[in-house]
């Protein structure tokens, strides 16, 4: 499960609050070592159109709280929403991270739209050692702020990545 919240927090619409939270829990006892909860929270300043920079903190159940600096690109149209977030952890661990989320909607009729989503993340220690990457794909229908359909997740863990795949259904509520 992953959630992204982005919100303008000042009248001039220069400052943004961004939160990305994910919970990953596996069914089999052998895979429980891959369970993870993380939350990135940042405040960014839009300095040039869709570009922003800021600072925040990341919580991961295995490593604790780590502050980071971030650069962000975001674009929103009636059909497309895209966020690219690049982060550099400033203390504790030399972690670099990239998060990309793209939503695309295509009108089918008055009440329904085709809904597609890609959420991809990758984390590296000093750009040399792979920590974790994931790709989540969603395709389905959008009706009155509810989305539902088919889901597939790919998670890669460790220096020599072990890949875990999960296929299923998703139900999503968008708060507008």
């Amino acid at each position: 499960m992953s959630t992204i919240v982005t919100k303008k927090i000042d009248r001039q619409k220069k400052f943004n609050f961004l939160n990305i939270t994910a919970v990953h829990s596996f069914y089999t006892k052998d895979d429980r070592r891959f369970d993870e909860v993380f939350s990135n929270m940042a405040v960014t300043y839009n300095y040039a159109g869709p570009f922003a920079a800021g600072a925040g903190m990341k919580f991961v159940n295995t490593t604790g709280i780590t502050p980071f600096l971030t650069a962000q690109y975001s674009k929103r149209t009636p059909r497309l929403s895209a966020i690219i977030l690049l982060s550099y952890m400033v203390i504790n661990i030399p972690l670099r991270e990239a998060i990309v989320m793209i939503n695309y909607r295509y009108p089918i009729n008055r009440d329904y739209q085709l809904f597609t989503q890609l959420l991809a993340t990758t984390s590296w220690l000093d750009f040399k050692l792979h920590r974790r990457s994931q790709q989540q794909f969603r395709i389905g229908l959008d009706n009155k702020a509810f989305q539902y359909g088919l889901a597939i997740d790919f998670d890669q863990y460790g220096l020599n990545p072990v890949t875990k795949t999960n296929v299923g259904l998703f139900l999503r509520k968008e708060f507008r």
Side-chain angles (χ1 to χ4, degrees), residues 79-98:
R79 288 189 186 181
L80 177 71
S81 171
I83 295 175
I84 299 170
L85 189 72
L86 305 173
S87 300
Y88 171 76
M89 307 306 157
V90 293
I91 62 170
N92 294 345
I93 53 175
L95 186 67
R96 279 49 166 197
E97 190 169 77

Side-chain angles (χ1 to χ4, degrees), residues 19-56:
N19 176 271
I20 301 170
T21 300
V23 177
H24 302 274
S25 182
F26 291 90
Y27 299 110
T28 65
K29 193 173 190 175
D30 291 339
D31 289 338
R32 296 257 183 226
R33 64 188 170 115
F34 299 114
D35 287 0
E36 183 177 69
V37 176
F38 78 81
S39 184
N40 287 3
M41 291 177 276
V43 174
T44 60
Y45 177 78
N46 285 79
Y47 60 87
F51 297 98

